[in-house]
Amino acid sequence: MAKHSNKLVSLLVGASVAASLTHAADGELQKVMKARGLSEIDVVRAAKTYNPSGGRDEFVVFSSAGQAGQMIVYGVPSMRILKYIGVFTPEPWQGYGFDEESKKVLRQGNIRGREINWGDTHHPALSEKDGKYDGKWLAINDKANPRIAIIDLADFETKQIVVNPVFKSAHGGAFFTQNSDYIIEACQYAAPFDDNYHPIEDYKEVYRGGATMWRFDTKKGRIDTKESFTIEMPPYMQDLSDSGKGVSDGWGFTNSFNSEMYTGGIEVGMPPNEAGMSRNDTDFLHVYNWKKLAELAKDPKNVKVVNNHRIVPMEVAVKHDALFLIPEPKSPHGVDVSPDGEYITVCGKLDTHASVYKWSKIKELIKNKDYAGKDPYGIPILDMKKSLHGQAELGLGPLHNQYSNVDGEIYTSLYVDSQIVKWNYKTLKVLDKVNVHYNVGHLCGMEGKSADPQGKYIISLNKLAIDRFQNVGPLHPQNHQLIDISGKKMDLLVDMPLPLGEPHQAVAIRAEKLHGHVRYTMGTNSREDKIHEGKTLAGQERVERDGNKVKVYATMVRSHINPERITVNKGDEVTFYITNLERAQDEAHGFTVDHYNIHASLEPGKTSSIKFIADIEGVFPYYCTEFCSALHLEMMGYLMVKDPNKKYESTQKKKMQTMSPEQLKAEYDKTVATNAATDAVIQSVVKFLKENKYEKHKVVADLVTDAMDQYGKIAEEKKKSDAALKAGDMEKAILFENMIWQYMVKTADVGIRAKDALVRLVATKQSAAAAAGEKAFGEGGCGGCHVIGKVSSGPDLTGVLQRHGENSEKWVKDFIMNPEKMYTEPYVKGMIDYFNLRMPNQHMDEAETKNIIEYLKWVDQNANLF
Ligand code: K7E
Ligand code: CUA
């Protein structure tokens, strides 16, 4: 036994938990711990993050994927990745950027006519109602090409991309205001608002920063660009922002890091930007009344228009007391408003302090026009000391903050120290620190920036992983670390390598707030939330030709694409409209035509289109790219592109061997008989499901719906088969009977899954020993010969514990452990003769054997279910 008398153990889990764990660790757990070199605290941490198969997480995290231009979705506490979402970058799995509908979204992100196929995503934001996450919309910014994208959390698809018309880069977004009326996006590198050349010498006069207030329609889930406007700001290099909430609702806060207005010039012998931009002791926190500015912007007198976009000039904002500056320690990074909106914490990455500003003090100074001075642009400066609640000495390189459910509790990342520090922004006391690996940037609390933080966990989004994972080459995975914050001391639970980077920030939401759909209304254009013009139902499949434009209206359903053969002329413009007719959960199909660089993902009910010029001659298979059923490989067809100017010699048709009428009749009868037998199995499952009231269990009812969808298609095929038979086309009748069998297999497949699920739901609860026994039964290979409830290559084991008299249990135990010794017993001998098989010794130990017997008891208790 590996004894780890670790001080940390008693400290973190308490002596009693550790003791009971030691106790539980007798046996198998002990063995595993020893084999894998795990300490007791490791096992506790594993248990805190482990999800059994089928288990769900309490929180869902949306992480930016940095230069990958995507979003990453994962669960907490398991840290299992659930999805990547294509946002600014094409993502072929989802057909994103490869089908026409998603290309339209991606192309909304063109800048000045130029296609841009990547993004530098930094800050995701979840839509809010009263400052709390409502689980409806997700926004994310692109720093490199200043854009904001909107993702719908009903289907996790990107629906809109808007380009900032005046900024040339943008970092301080996306941040929703507390009722999602606006999304804040602050500039980063100051540049001229117009698209012209302006020499760098004109920096102070012409280059500008600012904050764009994107108007958001919470019902439609779209940004309304016409109703949006930008607040002009000095060229101070605005950085992160946050929206006020609660008492500070209506206001915005944006950091900056170049109040020096330095513009570099290494090449002409000037010190580099890093020196010039961090010369002053302080930079400026911008404080602006966006609500008032939104009102002002309605009057054309108060705005100037650049690139069709309204800008509220600094003079106007100043004149109406809507823009202020407060000094903050130099080159800060994060600014984070507390859940009630009263405290605003700014981290100066070059300063060891966090500065906590107090909204009521700021408000008072503004009200009294108590200014410490003005900046070169005439913006009033509030006194730093008078605005501050206080400062706390945290450590080296404080960057970002998150809140927990405990009043006053705040967590801050320390980039240089590679630590997370827990402290109190009211008392300004440091409470705890934990090491992370390495150089943490953002951190993510559970709803940790909303008005209702949930506590429990903090995720450390580290910039470097260095030695934490298997070496996969010089480009390392990213490292997200999950920290348990429910105790007095923080406890680092687990590392998660992330294979996309660099994920600057992540936001977490309670899983129960998300209500993703499982299917679309039939024929939906998912990117526009409306019925697709190319929607095609079963029976409506067709090819339409108009000059050199060919439109194919196709459907996909297990396991065929209709139509299956399409011939076009070289040079034709070909559009496929494809509808997935499935309603069954998870029955997505994919579609591609080889060599034409197109791909669509068709989830149940979706219609997508793909379009290309058939400019190369030849034969091009098209097929389904998702392994959707046993006959997935058969889910294909041919696009044949012929050159209208060429003459093609027809090859002599080879005479195919045909069957005699008698042979055909025999095959037909056999197929019909197989179908009847399969239907009997289906009917027995249906009977079982009905008797056990399947409709009471949603999971099972959903599966039954899927199964009946398949079964419902049989009547139509039967009609076709009968018609063919009547017309004397036996060959065709057989093919339709085969199609019937396909639908039956699909029905049975889902039906049996439903039955298994129902058995689990209505059976008596398994004891731990019985569950372990079932596992041993499965893993030990017993199921190879014994099927519960059925005689297969070995006897049915229901009732085995009653079959051998009073000492049945002992008999079964002996037989499992030493079958060879009993081969000559008359009963066993009889069985060996009957099955022509001997029960082999599977080398089960005593404990496993005991558990298997417990499992068999459970089987007997529920014998009526098998
Ligand atoms: Cu990397 Cu928020 Cu863009 Cu800090 S940001 S670390
Ligand atoms: Cu549909 Cu594979």
Side-chain angles (χ1 to χ4, degrees), residues 589 624 626 628 632 635:
H589 301 287
C624 168
E626 278 267 351
C628 50
H632 150 80
M635 197 163 179

Side-chain angles (χ1 to χ4, degrees), residues 122-123 143 171 240 333 399-400 441-442 463 502 504-505:
H122 277 241
H123 306 110
K143 168 170 164 168
H171 185 242
L240 274 164
H333 201 25
L399 290 191
H400 297 289
H442 276 273
K463 300 296 184 195
E502 168 204 331
H504 291 261
Q505 194 193 21

Side-chain angles (χ1 to χ4, degrees), residues 531-547:
I531 296 301
H532 200 292
E533 45 167 348
K535 169 182 171 181
T536 309
L537 296 178
Q540 300 174 340
E541 297 89 349
R542 66 202 181 273
V543 178
E544 284 176 3
R545 173 179 282 282
D546 177 11

Side-chain angles (χ1 to χ4, degrees), residues 254-327:
T254 297
N255 278 338
S256 61
F257 62 81
N258 185 22
S259 58
E260 298 85 352
M261 295 191 274
Y262 189 68
T263 56
I266 298 184
E267 64 294 326
V268 292
M270 295 288 286
N273 281 327
E274 58 175 312
M277 291 181 181
S278 59
R279 179 174 158 189
N280 295 351
D281 280 342
T282 55
D283 282 298
F284 287 122
L285 173 67
H286 300 61
V287 178
Y288 44 95
N289 187 338
W290 60 259
K291 238 181 209 169
K292 190 189 259 185
L293 291 164
E295 280 307 311
L296 288 171
K298 286 181 183 158
D299 185 342
K301 280 206 308 280
N302 290 328
V303 297
K304 59 182 180 203
V305 174
V306 179
N307 292 338
N308 277 322
H309 176 78
R310 293 177 302 157
I311 292 166
V312 181
M314 291 186 269
E315 314 87 78
V316 175
V318 168
K319 191 173 136 205
H320 292 89
D321 299 324
L323 177 61
F324 304 90
L325 300 169
I326 311 178

Side-chain angles (χ1 to χ4, degrees), residues 444-497:
C444 168
M446 303 301 105
E447 309 199 347
K449 278 281 301 281
S450 74
D452 184 27
Q454 300 289 307
K456 294 200 172 186
Y457 306 102
I458 286 279
I459 303 162
S460 176
L461 280 66
N462 305 307
K463 300 296 184 195
L464 305 184
I466 309 184
D467 56 357
R468 304 313 277 188
F469 306 112
Q470 171 68 34
N471 184 342
V472 289
L475 182 61
H476 287 44
Q478 312 287 331
N479 185 14
H480 284 195
Q481 292 180 302
L482 183 70
I483 298 164
D484 181 351
I485 58 164
S486 58
K488 202 160 178 279
K489 305 280 289 175
M490 290 180 274
D491 184 27
L492 197 151
L493 297 177
V494 73
D495 291 6
M496 175 179 62

